[in-house]
Amino acid sequence: MHFSSRLTKMTEFGEGNKPASYKRIVLKNASEYHYLKIHLEFQEADFSLNAVEFKQLIISALKRLHGEVGAALLVDVLTYEEETLSAVLRVPNVGLAKLWSALTLFGSYQNRKCAFRVIQTSPFLLALAGNSRELVLD
Amino acid sequence: MAEFVDLNIPHLAEKASLQKLVEAAAHLGYSTVAINYVVDYDEKKKEIVKPLSPKELFTALPLVQGKSKPIKILSRLTLVVSDPSHCNILRSTSTNIKFYDIFAVFPKSGKLFHVACTTLDVDIVCINVTEKLPFYIKRPSVNVAIDRGIYFELIYVPAIKDSTMRRYTVSNALSLMQICRGKNIILSSAAEKPLQLRGPYDVANLGWLFGLSESNAKAAVSTNGRAVLLHGEARKTASGVVYTKKKTRATEEDETTPVSKKAKTAL
């Protein structure tokens, strides 16, 4: 705050009548959500799920590991692609580890072997636009 | 940043499925894998086979995701011990044992767990996660193991397969964490199928479920694995003395003695 006020004063001297104001704001844990980009992998290629079934699957995964309390976690499916079975999820910060571990330990759906691959996680949705895991591209 | 390590890829009879497994591990981002050969004395299969060399398995090693470097394949021997006499094989100069990079023991009783932690010359002590722990993990033996640089291994694939095993995995892991406070733990897969493998970041997050802190959980898949490899290396060479020899010509390697053993005679 001291810093910002000094800056304003300096510009006042410089420009005269038109004070340009600067403000330095430091935010800690600005985002209250975490975003996950995930991809569901099945052994068989031909397997389709609609968005509702996909959400149901995530809730059942949470319920299997963390019980009713885990199933009550606020998880939103922001985007879902039916062809590639990939989605972007939003979850409150406190529930990230819970959701992630539930997805990790999810091994089968309707007696078919499957696996969740978490491609990226970030507190900011914009960061999911680039891929941080394969930064060294050739 | 430390590279990710998965020290438990079981040795499968079919080469094709083993290849697929290693390829999946490379795709997920593991830089080093160890192929695990289990020797169980209760079964009547006593011989220790020569480990498969990476050259036999792959003509071109699969590239690690995000690194554009080939994956490193090591070999590991796991002894399932239910009697102290079974450990003699580690002390004696038995055939084929010098080919392995890492030794692990799977103790079946509390006494053997103590022996493995305090006197046996091993790198890893496996913790049973598929059933209730048949003994209490005691603090003195764990403290000695931590001082000696021996690591405890927890495997996570049983937790994916079955819900009762998941319960045992979590409870056994938590009882171990109470004693060792998150130190000297490695998390590895023991996956038989590519779909059972999980990415290194997922496994690190799973460490949270087992009561590890965030930094300890990440160390359990990266730096601790590397420490195990170095511990194995120090045992193979003359207590850490490494002697390398530059070859003048590319001659055919003789398969009978590994390079590390040759170094010993040259000293």
Side-chain angles (χ1 to χ4, degrees), chain B residues 130-152:
Chain B
T130 52
E131 57 194 33
K132 197 172 182 296
L133 268 184
F135 52 88
Y136 282 110
I137 295 174
K138 290 202 186 76
R139 200 174 285 264
S141 38
V142 169
N143 284 347
V144 172
I146 291 174
D147 284 344
R148 293 176 72 212
I150 290 173
Y151 284 75
F152 298 99

Side-chain angles (χ1 to χ4, degrees), chain B residues 47-124:
Chain B
E47 82 277 14
I48 291 173
V49 291
K50 220 168 143 180
L52 214 62
S53 81
K55 272 183 209 155
E56 283 176 65
L57 199 59
F58 286 105
T59 46
L61 287 168
L63 292 179
V64 179
Q65 177 214 42
K67 288 265 195 287
S68 59
K69 266 189 262 173
I71 194 169
K72 208 166 137 195
I73 301 174
L74 302 162
S75 56
R76 154 185 165 173
L77 183 70
T78 304
L79 287 175
V80 182
V81 289
S82 47
D83 190 84
S85 65
H86 295 162
C87 308
N88 288 340
I89 194 159
L90 289 173
R91 299 197 184 97
S92 64
T93 50
S94 71
T95 51
N96 288 337
I97 200 145
K98 56 181 181 257
F99 294 107
Y100 289 90
D101 296 308
I102 306 164
F103 294 151
V105 282
F106 193 115
K108 288 277 186 189
S109 69
K111 208 170 188 180
L112 281 162
F113 181 80
H114 184 75
V115 169
C117 287
T118 51
T119 55
L120 275 187
D121 200 9
V122 291
D123 310 310
I124 301 172

Side-chain angles (χ1 to χ4, degrees), chain B residues 110-216:
Chain B
K111 208 170 188 180
L112 281 162
F113 181 80
H114 184 75
V115 169
C117 287
T118 51
T119 55
L120 275 187
D121 200 9
V122 291
D123 310 310
I124 301 172
V125 175
C126 304
I127 304 291
N128 195 351
V129 295
T130 52
E131 57 194 33
K132 197 172 182 296
L133 268 184
F135 52 88
Y136 282 110
I137 295 174
K138 290 202 186 76
R139 200 174 285 264
S141 38
V142 169
N143 284 347
V144 172
I146 291 174
D147 284 344
R148 293 176 72 212
I150 290 173
Y151 284 75
F152 298 99
E153 183 192 51
L154 287 167
I155 53 174
Y156 64 84
V157 162
I160 294 172
K161 278 196 240 168
D162 189 78
S163 73
T164 42
M165 283 190 196
R166 180 181 295 183
R167 221 155 45 219
Y168 289 131
T169 307
V170 174
S171 78
N172 291 359
L174 286 175
S175 64
L176 176 67
M177 294 312 162
Q178 250 178 9
I179 305 298
C180 74
R181 293 186 229 93
K183 277 187 229 155
N184 286 38
I185 299 285
I186 55 169
L187 292 167
S188 48
S189 66
E192 280 154 357
K193 294 194 184 88
L195 265 187
Q196 291 171 345
L197 272 173
R198 293 293 184 267
Y201 293 99
D202 299 13
V203 179
N205 179 69
L206 214 55
W208 169 81
L209 207 68
F210 298 155
L212 287 167
S213 74
E214 217 166 288
S215 57
N216 280 335

Side-chain angles (χ1 to χ4, degrees), chain B residues 11-27:
Chain B
H11 174 66
L12 303 171
E14 304 111 72
K15 223 183 228 179
S17 44
L18 190 59
Q19 275 173 347
K20 264 188 199 151
L21 210 56
V22 174
E23 271 165 19
H27 179 70

